[in-house]
Structure formats: C-alpha cells, structure tokens
Amino acid sequence: MPRNRRVFSLMLDNRKAKLVESRRRAGRYELSVDGIAQSVVSMTDPTELEYAYTQHIARAMDAAAEPGTPLFTVHLGAGALTLARYVEATRARSRQLVVEFEPALYAAVIAALPLPPGADLRVIFGDARAVADADLPDATGSSVPSPPSPVLGAAAHGDTVSGSSAVDSSAVDTDWVDARFTVVDLWDAAVIRHRVASQEFYRRVAARSATGGVVAVNLLDGHPFEYSRRQAATLRTVFDHVAVVLDAEPEDDEGPLGNVVIFASDEPLDIVTNPDLLGSPRPHMLHDGSLTSWIAEARIMTDADGTDSPDPDDPIWD
C-alpha cells in the first residue's frame, strides 16, 4: 500500500498550502501554495538546493564571510526556510531573522520540518513593508518608540525558534538592523506586490543592512523582462553596486518565464569580481555597462508608480 506523501494541507484565507514528500527522494519536501511551488527542502542534506536561483543566492552567501563563520541573515518571506537551513548547515549558529506574514503556515512548517537543535532563528510575524517601515534604533542603541501598528499583528512580540521548539521572545522590528545578507523573497502566491518592490521599500531594507551588506531579490519574469529591468533600475538608485543573474538568455524573445535574481550592495559584489563563484554552468550576469544597456529606459518603481510582478498564468507566457 503506498504511503501518504502529504505532510500537511491547510487553508490560508482562500488559498491552499500543502507540504508533500518527494516520491523518489526520501527526506525531500516541496511546499506549494495553490499548486505553485514555493520551496523545496532536503532534510537529509540542506545544502542540496533544487532551484537554480537558490543556488545562486547560496553561492553569494558563501562569499559573504569567511567559510564557517556566522553571518547575520534576514529572510523576508519564509517558505519552508530553505536558505535559512542552508545558512545553519554551512554557518552553524548564525543569527538569523525571518519576517513572515503567515503564522499558521510557519508553525506548520516548523512542526513538520524542525530546525536543527541550537539554530538561532527568530521570526517576526507581520507584513514585511510594515516591519521595514518601523522606526530604527537611534544612534545610542535604544529603540525609538513608535505607535502600535495593527498591520504588524504578532510582530509586536515575535518568536525565537531553537531547534524544534518555538517560545515567546523579544524578536521585534528593531532586531532587524545591520543585516549582513538579506534575502527578499516576498511572494503572494505567484505574485510580488509593488509595495514590497518600490524604491521606498528598498531604502528601508538598505537602512537595516550592515555596511557592505548584500541584498538578494528573487523575481519571476521573462522576455522582454520589463518588470526585472524596472527593479534593477530601482535598486540602482538605492545601492552603489547592482548585478542581475538569470539562467534564461536575456535577449531570447521566445525564452521561458523564469527566476531572476538581483544582487545589490554598497560595496563591490563578490559574484562580479569573481564570477566563478556561481559555478557551472554559469548563468548570465549583467552588471555595470551591460546592465545599463539592459535597463535602457526602464522607469524606477516608487510607491506611486509601481506594478505587481508578472502573473505566471498570463497567456503571454504560453
């Protein structure tokens, strides 16, 4: 009799989230929302990454600090914590912070796929834009009080996850400061909302980053990459160094819809100075002059002039 591969299934408002174990590879799990894959996790080896975009981000993480040393990493959007597990596996006991909008989904993932004992991962439950917009600590290190925000919800108290347990703690928006690596992976099912992809939002992410900190933004787009070009133009107004990494051929007008990762920092990016970090087969990378040409006349995105990311169900991608 075949075993039940489904680990859990739950409703998030009017959307269905499901975690399923791979039929062919024991210990490998896929999280989906409304049938759209969100994360793939290997519990036997968290360094085995299914998707190319996670591999690109992981390689940049590898270069962000000396091997094995802690790296304060912030994850905007949790999914099944694929990259958080990677950081813990390669940089044990690194301080990590997750901002997640769906407490029920996060709790179900942690219950089904616990983190290793000793993992130092905290979570703020709330809207990433609201958390980013909250007041930063002042120069003396004390937090500047701000009025309670109903958008933050449970983020006012937060949780710490240690191994497989979650206990009340003091994880709040002011814990997100001096991030050395930030992953922006903010999906509403299959779409990124423009309020977490605007110049104003990225300025807040930059303000919460350490000097020389790296930000990696995961997008989904296809030729002519209008959305990604606008995102790159926007990030260039906030950070001194920006590079776009994609596996599709940038000029292929019949290329498929796929992930695009934009890396940004105020210091030179390691993946630009040493492209071999991205491994083989090497993805396409645009930076400096090639990025300027690719962006062309694309407008920056602001709160007043922004769009959601392309809908993968749009017939233009067929």
Side-chain angles (χ1 to χ4, degrees), residues 35-67:
I36 299 168
Q38 304 288 313
S39 304
V40 175
V41 169
S42 170
M43 293 298 285
T44 55
D45 183 0
T47 66
E48 286 189 2
L49 302 173
E50 179 81 8
Y51 300 131
Y53 84 89
T54 58
Q55 296 168 16
H56 303 330
I57 296 174
R59 299 296 87 80
M61 287 174 164
D62 291 345
E66 289 297 317

Side-chain angles (χ1 to χ4, degrees), residues 3-314:
R3 61 191 177 89
N4 185 4
R5 295 167 47 241
R6 182 179 299 181
V7 179
F8 69 68
S9 179
L10 74 158
M11 294 303 298
L12 306 170
D13 295 326
N14 60 344
R15 298 172 298 160
K16 185 176 184 179
K18 185 168 64 174
L19 183 70
V20 174
E21 185 174 8
S22 170
R23 179 178 287 107
R24 292 184 293 272
R25 304 178 69 176
R28 203 169 189 84
Y29 299 83
E30 180 181 270
L31 175 68
S32 63
V33 176
D34 279 351
I36 299 168
Q38 304 288 313
S39 304
V40 175
V41 169
S42 170
M43 293 298 285
T44 55
D45 183 0
T47 66
E48 286 189 2
L49 302 173
E50 179 81 8
Y51 300 131
Y53 84 89
T54 58
Q55 296 168 16
H56 303 330
I57 296 174
R59 299 296 87 80
M61 287 174 164
D62 291 345
E66 289 297 317
T69 61
L71 182 71
F72 176 36
T73 307
V74 174
H75 307 265
L76 305 184
L81 299 169
T82 301
L83 286 168
R85 298 175 197 274
Y86 180 88
V87 171
E88 177 60 23
T90 57
R91 301 178 180 277
R93 303 183 189 279
S94 288
R95 187 162 62 99
Q96 299 192 73
L97 181 70
V98 166
V99 179
E100 171 56 42
F101 189 70
E102 299 284 1
L105 178 59
Y106 183 90
V109 166
I110 288 293
L113 307 176
L115 293 169
D120 182 5
L121 187 146
R122 296 174 178 244
V123 58
I124 300 173
F125 293 124
D127 173 72
R129 178 60 187 268
V131 177
D133 283 347
D135 290 323
L136 286 161
D138 64 21
T140 65
S142 61
S143 61
V144 179
S146 58
S149 170
V151 182
L152 291 176
H157 299 290
D159 290 328
T160 294
V161 176
S162 177
S164 60
S165 64
V167 296
D168 290 340
S169 185
S170 57
V172 291
D173 45 70
T174 50
D175 289 335
W176 177 12
V177 64
D178 289 337
R180 295 179 63 194
F181 203 105
T182 303
V183 180
V184 183
D185 203 11
L186 292 168
W187 296 87
D188 183 359
V191 174
I192 302 168
R193 300 303 175 188
H194 74 270
R195 65 191 304 272
V196 289
S198 66
Q199 182 188 61
E200 292 88 344
F201 174 69
Y202 290 131
R203 282 175 174 165
R204 298 300 293 171
V205 173
R208 293 179 178 275
S209 297
T211 301
V214 177
V215 175
V217 182
N218 178 37
L219 311 173
L220 188 70
D221 203 0
H223 193 273
F225 297 101
E226 180 179 351
Y227 181 80
S228 296
R229 291 188 294 111
R230 291 193 68 185
Q231 284 288 285
T234 303
L235 284 157
R236 267 191 159 183
T237 69
V238 178
F239 296 92
D240 292 337
H241 299 271
V242 174
V244 171
V245 174
L246 65 169
D247 292 284
E249 168 56 56
E251 304 304 325
D252 182 1
D253 59 6
E254 295 185 356
L257 187 72
N259 290 92
V260 178
V261 183
I262 305 182
F263 294 93
S265 178
D266 281 335
E267 292 187 359
L269 292 160
D270 291 303
I271 60 167
V272 172
T273 57
N274 184 9
D276 288 341
L277 290 170
L278 292 172
S280 181
R282 187 179 299 174
H284 300 279
M285 181 162 59
L286 304 167
H287 61 89
D288 298 319
S290 63
L291 183 57
T292 299
S293 297
W294 189 69
I295 291 173
E297 301 301 319
R299 305 188 318 278
I300 67 169
M301 286 195 188
T302 65
D303 285 345
D305 180 22
T307 60
D308 294 343
S309 66
D311 186 342
D313 291 330
D314 192 306

